[in-house]
Amino acid sequence: MSSVVLNACALVSLTFAIAGSAAEPVPPVERSLGRPRIGLVLSGGGARGLAHVGVLKMLERERIPIDVIAGTSMGAIIGGLYASGMDASRLESELLAVHWDEVFASRVDRPLLTQRRKEADFELSPMLEFGMRDGELRAPLGALSGRGLETLLRRYTLPVRSVRDFSRLAIPFRAVATNLETGEPVILSGGDLALALRSSMSVPGVFAPTEADGRILGDGGLVNNLPIDVARAMGADIVIAVNIGTPLSGRDALGSVGGLTTQMISILTEQNVQRSLAMLKPDDVLITPALGVLSSSDFGKTRELIDQGEAGVRLQLQRLAPLALAPQAYAQWQAAHRQNEAQPARLAFIQIEGSKLTNPQRLLDQLESTRGEAFNDAKAERDARRLAASGDYTRADYRLVHTPDGDGLVFDIEDKPWGPHYFRVGIDLFTDFRGDSAFNIKVNHNRRWLDEAGSEWRNFVQIGETPKLLTELYHPLNWSIGLKNDWFVAGYASVERRKITYYEPDSGDEQGRFTRTSGRLGVDLGQPWGEWGEVRLGVSHVVFRNQPDLVSSNFTGPRNALTVHETGLRLSATVDQLDYVNFPLHGYRVVGEAVVGERSVSGPQGDENFTRVEFEGTGVTTWGRTTFNAHMSAKSAGGEDLSGLGRYSYNLGGFHRLSGYRYNQLAGSHVLLGRLTMYQRLKDAPLFTRGLFIGGSVEAGNAWVQARDISLSKLRSGFSGFIGADTGVGPLYLGVAYAPRGDLGLYLFLGRP
């Protein structure tokens, strides 16, 4: 919290220092028009800047020519795209089709991740990640990712990719950014247009700053949110200024550090806007759309924002009328300012640049874009997402370049500044309000890129009710056998201690309490199936020891400590296309594992051969606002139950695992569970959550000690109703559960018990 305050104070100091600084010179635009040169100035304001599209629509309808454009932040994006030759109607249709939640997502869609990254979501939420570099802890530089925005801007600006001087665009253009090292305004007048637009919209604490020409660039709104002076320096005789800045918040918003920081930035931005407004001359026109409570984050209200932009222009039609051209003259102006189609390019080479910590060249063979083929923007975007899906980069952008050797495709990537050691933290809290409860703190560590092959070292630590340690070393082999993706070898070891209460299955009466300590050691040879999943084949050794702590006279199993060893050949396969781990809306996941080997136990029971088979499948679909989630789990340990508690002694019973039964009430060596869950996402999402959900489930299943006892007629049923949220530390549930042969109960848990 203190760091937020310090950052806010730094912004205050920066902005007051900027107040007296001078921007770099702006070269005037030398074009003879025979009429006053009209300059359009578009302010920043986040989502509110979408109102600029409505302004442009009305200016076109009224036949107002625009000769130069200057913009800041979102105003720079809209202004820069218009200056590149996109007309207002195309801007409107493109922006209405954008899924803004995906554009600003902190990472690419989960189905596009490698299986290694997907599996980590089941341990801990991906929303909270920090890292370590050079011995110091570091956090992400922005709350949102600008990667999706960069890809969007790259696609829109492809037709003008060869224009390096913004004065040579269809309409001369300038964007305003802030040099975060010196506090000076930076007028972006040339270079990569997509990068310039993204640099101008680098809101502190929201988007990470960009680096261009050796300068760290932040949002231009810090220094000049309404750059009237820039348009004037470009030669504008008359300025049309559009101010859509966010108004100051009321007293109610000042009760938190975040609210205070936002208010301080708004105050400082408003001060430089007032200085700009003082530069307006009598013939200039100021347009201020009435956006009311629409905020800088309301990207989902694009239609409403555009409409309000149009309404703002209608109030100024009388002052704009003298600037209009005759129909024929305006048609000629439009024809001269249309965006040309992008010229086809054949790729002479493909390169990846920008990384100092990783070796992305090893991924070149996995890209869809191919040397010698015609450039395809859809393939390039998918390739950029594939690079971003590794989780190693804050930026994964692409650009077409022209060299003496021909046209080339260059992927620009930027290492996460908080790596290569990555940490996630989380917590598990559980209670059934009847005496059963659990508490665990979890930390996941991943050290990536130990070598040029991309080896990783992963560690997981859990302390609390169920202590656990896990370590795995993962090494890609860079073989070219079979599918196009890398083969790998992975060695792993884990140890866990778990408290087990053994119940009489029907009555739910306790018959004993045990401590099960288990360990696992193994090595796998595997192959990732791209974004679909992976397969592994290996040798594993599992040992678990059951230590009785308290045993009733009714317990019929072994009363002494038993140690069971399992050594076998293991084959596993995973296919995972769920969009979210918690409260998914679409997708499916299938996991299968088979182990063949030998099982032994201390004591007179002796040894036996066994075949253990486990399967889990989940399918999710959404119709309208209602999501249906079907899940099935079937497990069979094979052989005799040598331990007396069953191989799966903590699998069934509890919320969503036969709701209405005691937590882990049903144990055995053969388990079957089916569940159908229905839920709806409520309209308003609480802070720090993906959404709030309400729903219920119907479940059927049972556990059997011996395979001969398995019978579908003996399935038990359970039901639940719940309200839940997908939070930054895991799923949160408050639910009620009922089972005809169980009980009525109440559950509360955070995380994955």
Side-chain angles (χ1 to χ4, degrees), residues 288-407:
T288 309
L291 302 182
V293 297
L294 292 171
S295 74
S296 59
S297 61
D298 282 333
F299 284 93
K301 299 180 179 179
T302 303
R303 176 77 274 166
E304 186 176 349
L305 286 159
I306 292 175
D307 291 344
Q308 289 301 317
E310 294 183 45
V313 176
R314 292 191 184 97
L315 299 177
Q316 300 293 335
L317 289 180
Q318 185 174 356
R319 300 201 61 200
L320 290 169
L323 305 179
L325 296 180
Q328 184 177 358
Y330 189 72
Q332 292 175 348
W333 180 89
Q334 281 188 310
H337 293 80
R338 285 200 182 103
Q339 186 180 77
N340 296 323
E341 293 296 324
Q343 296 299 312
R346 187 163 295 278
L347 301 179
F349 61 90
I350 299 175
Q351 295 177 352
I352 303 177
E353 299 178 352
S355 177
K356 298 178 181 178
L357 297 177
T358 72
N359 177 28
Q361 307 305 324
R362 60 180 290 271
L363 303 177
L364 279 173
D365 290 339
Q366 298 181 25
L367 302 181
E368 289 186 56
S369 302
T370 306
R371 188 176 61 181
E373 293 186 352
F375 169 74
N376 183 296
D377 60 341
K379 286 184 178 180
E381 289 184 19
R382 288 195 294 270
D383 288 337
R385 284 197 298 269
R386 184 171 287 108
L387 291 171
S390 68
D392 296 312
Y393 312 116
T394 56
R395 289 185 64 244
D397 193 10
Y398 70 90
R399 54 188 169 91
L400 277 175
V401 298
H402 182 73
T403 71
D405 297 326
D407 292 324

Side-chain angles (χ1 to χ4, degrees), residues 496-624:
E496 176 185 275
R497 188 178 71 238
R498 182 181 293 268
K499 297 290 186 181
I500 296 176
T501 301
Y502 192 82
Y503 297 94
E504 200 287 318
D506 293 317
S507 67
D509 294 335
E510 290 188 21
Q511 293 196 341
R513 296 185 179 182
F514 299 80
T515 298
R516 171 171 287 185
T517 303
S518 59
R520 180 185 295 267
L521 185 68
V523 60
D524 290 334
L525 175 67
Q527 183 185 54
W529 292 336
E531 61 200 37
W532 297 98
E534 70 175 21
V535 62
R536 292 189 178 212
L537 175 66
V539 177
S540 69
H541 179 76
V542 179
V543 57
F544 56 90
R545 176 181 175 83
N546 294 330
Q547 175 67 49
D549 299 323
L550 182 64
V551 179
S552 75
S553 58
N554 297 325
F555 180 66
T556 58
R559 295 174 174 270
N560 299 319
L562 287 177
T563 301
V564 179
H565 293 264
E566 293 181 351
T567 302
L569 186 66
R570 171 178 170 267
L571 174 66
S572 68
T574 302
V575 175
D576 188 344
Q577 286 290 288
L578 291 178
D579 56 354
Y580 298 98
V581 167
N582 306 315
F583 302 100
L585 303 178
H586 298 281
Y588 54 90
R589 173 180 164 90
V590 178
V591 181
E593 179 177 288
V595 182
V596 178
E598 184 178 80
R599 180 185 294 142
S600 63
V601 63
S602 59
Q605 288 90 341
D607 301 339
E608 66 165 2
N609 295 324
F610 76 95
T611 300
R612 177 161 53 87
V613 180
E614 300 180 358
F615 169 85
E616 286 192 1
T618 301
V620 186
T621 188
T622 298
W623 286 290

Side-chain angles (χ1 to χ4, degrees), residues 246-259:
T246 304
L248 300 181
S249 304
R251 180 187 295 264
D252 293 343
L254 305 181
S256 67
V257 172

